[in-house]
Amino acid sequence: MGGSPTPSVLCALAFYFVFLLGLDRLVQIVRAQNGTTPPSEVSALNSVFNQWGISAKYYQWNISGEPCSGAAIDNTVIWNIGNSEFNPGIKCDCNGTVCHIIQLKVYALDVTGAIPEELWSLTSLTHLNLALNYLRGPLSSSIANLTQLQTLSLGINALSGKVPKEIGKLTNLIVFYFDSSGVSGAIPYTFAALQNLTTVWGSDNELTGRIPEFIGNWSKLRILRISDLSNGSSSLAFLKDMTSLSTLILRNNNISGTIPSNIGDFQSLSQLFLGNNKLTGMLPALKSPLLHIDVSYNQLSVELPSWANNSVLATGLDCIQQNFPCLGDIPSSPKYSDFAINCGGPEIISSSQIVYEWDNETLGPATYYETSTKRWAVSNVGHFNDILNNPQYTSVSSSQINTLDSELLQTARISPGSLRYFGLGLDNGNYNVTLEFAETSFFNPPAWQSLGRRVFDIYIQAWHVYENNCEVELVDARLLEFDEEEVKRVIGVALLCTQTSPQQRPSMPRVVAMLSGDIEVSAVTSRPGYFTDWNFDTTSLEL
């Protein structure tokens, strides 16, 4: 057992060392042919990865030495977000002497913490994807160093602070995603210089002010999504020459005035979503049968062509247009005093013998469905990303919820834009509204899946009883014992969640903390938008 190695073992060892020497020589040859990455870029990349606690797989490139090797310089495509094998991933551009890092992807890895300052020293970057993480803190003005950037993706993060005006110096930018990133403030005037943009996603942030008119000069723009602007009033005049648009989503931006009369001639336009604004006048004539439309919650007169089956403005939705009567006010229409829906699932009779009607009709990207009894209706608007293709627009969970009717909480409707339910034949009167839901989609932080928000807008007289300190009037008369302070707390949270401004709406963790009594419920200082914006005659509306 303790003797000398046999000749076969010696040969194997010798071959092993020769192989290592040969491999090292091969690496040197490859480096000589492609070039060497500047030490400053190597140091910056390693520092960023170390601070974020991530590392590439050992076989993708030389993670302990020359990064511009292996998959970083071969024909491997890393930019596809569905390619998790090369994530985190880099690509390099080499000229035989020097290599520079030009692509960096850190996508959906739940990276936490701030963006390291070293990142902004990778000045050769053309593509940077940091989406779907839990990055915090403000965006540094040093982002201006990345003047070669063509694609910048920061969407779905927990950032804070204003949108840096220095992004306006990135004049090579073609694609810019900063939706649901957490940034705030007005859209900087310096963005006028971003003339090469084709795609902008900026929805679901805490942006303020108005939609800048200079966007009308972004002649290459194809996709524009900006929603939830507060503290400003905008118009759509800037759109009149943007005939190359294919997607236009400007929801809840306090937009007034009229829709440009030539918007029906935008031949490439396939999505038009202008809901929850203050638009007036007529919806211009629309010519494309491929167009998905939602202009609800405005003050528009609408005459849709016969082909407009993709529009959510079908007959029943007259009820959500200002000054239109609902079915319950029409003498010949059916009237009801209750209805129950199993969202996204089959009919179920609950333990209390309530019949929850089925709601598994297939909903498309712009669909309105009305039950044959005209008891209720549902509308959906929005396209999912390709990786979330879901033709049913439903979600199913096998989780066992600790309740008598667990199966009611195992299906749900999902929507990338807007999902609304309507009671169509309800008699006037006082109603109890019950929402039953379980958290099956949002995870605990820190994870990008925890960054979503649920906002329930229920159009009842809660504000009036709140103003008059009579919240207890909303309690079911059959409930003999209840905590008055708890009632006020729940109603206060509900009214906070219906505020028009995203800045005034609490996050889901804060909602939970307020409902549980761990923190005080913030004061509700302004009426919900559906009162201040729509000017309802609430003396005749008792729902």
Side-chain angles (χ1 to χ4, degrees):
M1 295 294 292
S4 300
T6 63
S8 60
V9 174
L10 288 173
C11 289
L13 290 173
F15 175 77
Y16 177 69
F17 286 120
V18 170
F19 173 76
L20 286 180
L21 290 172
L23 181 62
D24 182 65
R25 176 62 178 162
L26 178 62
V27 171
Q28 292 179 17
I29 292 173
V30 170
R31 283 185 193 167
Q33 290 177 343
N34 292 285
T36 303
T37 310
S40 60
E41 292 189 30
V42 178
S43 175
L45 181 68
N46 289 336
S47 178
V48 169
F49 278 22
N50 286 337
Q51 291 182 59
W52 282 345
I54 57 177
S55 177
K57 298 178 176 66
Y58 72 91
Y59 56 82
Q60 294 180 359
W61 66 74
N62 187 346
I63 61 175
S64 61
E66 174 58 54
C68 290
S69 57
I73 58 173
D74 64 18
N75 293 327
T76 303
V77 178
I78 72 163
W79 200 247
N80 187 338
I81 59 176
N83 185 354
S84 59
E85 179 69 12
F86 296 92
N87 185 27
I90 64 168
K91 296 295 288 187
C92 299
D93 179 54
C94 302
N95 62 12
T97 303
V98 179
C99 293
H100 291 291
I101 300 170
I102 61 170
Q103 295 185 19
L104 173 59
K105 182 178 81 170
V106 181
Y107 175 79
L109 294 180
D110 287 333
V111 169
T112 63
I115 299 178
E117 194 68 21
E118 292 88 338
L119 177 64
W120 314 122
S121 65
L122 297 175
T123 55
S124 295
L125 283 175
T126 59
H127 296 73
L128 176 61
N129 187 350
L130 304 180
L132 276 69
N133 286 294
Y134 203 82
L135 296 172
R136 291 172 289 188
L139 277 173
S140 171
S141 60
S142 298
I143 197 173
N145 296 340
L146 307 187
T147 56
Q148 303 303 310
L149 270 187
Q150 298 174 23
T151 300
L152 175 58
S153 184
L154 302 169
I156 311 183
N157 272 289
L159 298 171
S160 58
K162 294 184 177 180
V163 183
K165 65 180 185 298
E166 289 79 9
I167 290 177
K169 297 181 179 180
L170 310 183
T171 54
N172 289 305
L173 207 57
I174 297 173
V175 176
F176 184 23
Y177 296 116
F178 66 107
D179 50 307
S180 305
S181 61
V183 294
S184 61
I187 298 174
Y189 66 91
T190 56
F191 281 23
L194 303 179
Q195 296 290 315
N196 288 309
L197 283 171
T198 64
T199 303
V200 175
W201 285 27
S203 300
D204 188 34
N205 287 298
E206 297 183 6
L207 298 178
T208 57
R210 56 184 293 132
I211 300 174
E213 294 182 1
F214 61 67
I215 289 180
N217 296 323
W218 291 349
S219 59
K220 299 179 182 179
L221 200 65
R222 302 290 181 271
I223 299 174
L224 177 62
R225 302 167 63 117
I226 297 176
S227 299
D228 307 307
L229 281 171
S230 63
N231 300 331
S233 179
S234 305
S235 80
L236 295 179
F238 70 92
L239 291 174
K240 60 184 178 64
D241 295 323
M242 302 186 72
T243 56
S244 296
L245 283 171
S246 62
T247 298
L248 178 62
I249 299 177
L250 301 175
R251 173 181 54 81
N252 194 29
N253 288 318
N254 200 29
I255 300 173
S256 58
T258 60
I259 300 175
S261 59
N262 66 329
I263 201 166
D265 299 322
F266 288 19
Q267 296 183 0
S268 299
L269 193 61
S270 60
Q271 290 189 71
L272 177 64
F273 190 176
L274 301 174
N276 296 77
N277 284 296
K278 298 181 179 179
L279 294 166
T280 57
M282 283 288 297
L283 177 67
L286 303 171
K287 301 175 182 178
S288 172
L290 301 177
L291 180 60
H292 300 293
I293 314 159
D294 183 353
V295 290
S296 55
Y297 288 90
N298 281 285
Q299 301 172 36
L300 293 166
S301 297
V302 179
E303 292 183 10
L304 291 173
S306 59
W307 52 258
N309 58 336
N310 286 329
S311 170
V312 299
L313 287 176
T315 305
L317 284 194
D318 286 346
C319 291
I320 68 171
Q321 297 298 308
Q322 192 173 26
N323 298 325
F324 279 84
C326 283
L327 295 176
D329 297 324
I330 302 174
S332 60
S333 69
K335 291 184 173 62
Y336 305 95
S337 60
D338 63 86
F339 65 95
I341 307 168
N342 181 24
C343 297
E347 179 179 302
I348 290 176
I349 300 177
S350 72
S351 57
S352 55
Q353 301 305 301
I354 296 174
V355 177
Y356 286 81
E357 297 184 45
W358 69 275
D359 176 34
N360 49 9
E361 181 78 12
T362 298
L363 298 185
T367 304
Y368 170 79
Y369 172 74
E370 184 177 288
T371 61
S372 59
T373 60
K374 297 188 181 298
R375 185 186 291 262
W376 58 271
V378 58
S379 72
N380 174 72
V381 179
H383 275 286
F384 284 110
N385 294 335
D386 290 339
I387 59 171
L388 294 175
N389 186 26
N390 188 325
Q392 287 293 120
Y393 284 73
T394 56
S395 175
V396 178
S397 172
S398 59
S399 301
Q400 293 298 313
I401 313 299
N402 187 21
T403 178
L404 290 175
D405 301 306
S406 178
E407 64 273 22
L408 278 174
L409 304 175
Q410 292 177 342
T411 61
R413 282 288 185 194
I414 55 178
S415 174
S418 173
L419 179 67
R420 302 182 180 117
Y421 285 88
F422 308 91
L424 296 181
L426 294 173
D427 279 322
N428 281 329
N430 297 317
Y431 283 84
N432 296 318
V433 179
T434 302
L435 292 176
E436 299 179 69
F437 64 94
E439 189 55 82
T440 59
S441 297
F442 296 160
F443 300 161
N444 291 326
W448 70 266
Q449 293 98 328
S450 65
L451 293 171
R453 294 180 297 173
R454 282 197 174 97
V455 178
F456 296 98
D457 288 334
I458 306 172
Y459 303 110
I460 57 177
Q461 284 186 304
W463 178 259
H464 299 291
V465 296
Y466 175 82
E467 278 188 316
N468 294 291
N469 198 31
C470 298
E471 293 94 332
V472 293
E473 292 183 9
L474 292 176
V475 177
D476 192 330
R478 294 170 295 180
L479 191 62
L480 300 179
E481 294 183 6
F482 59 88
D483 187 327
E484 184 173 328
E485 291 304 315
E486 184 174 353
V487 171
K488 293 181 177 181
R489 182 165 63 247
V490 170
I491 293 175
V493 172
L495 290 172
L496 285 171
C497 290
T498 62
Q499 294 297 296
T500 302
S501 169
Q503 293 174 302
Q504 294 176 305
R505 295 197 296 263
S507 64
M508 183 60 70
R510 187 169 181 81
V511 167
V512 173
M514 287 190 290
L515 288 175
S516 62
D518 293 338
I519 60 175
E520 292 294 324
V521 178
S522 306
V524 185
T525 57
S526 61
R527 290 187 169 203
Y530 52 84
F531 282 117
T532 58
D533 296 347
W534 290 11
N535 298 318
F536 274 139
D537 179 7
T538 51
T539 58
S540 61
L541 182 65
E542 298 185 33
L543 295 183

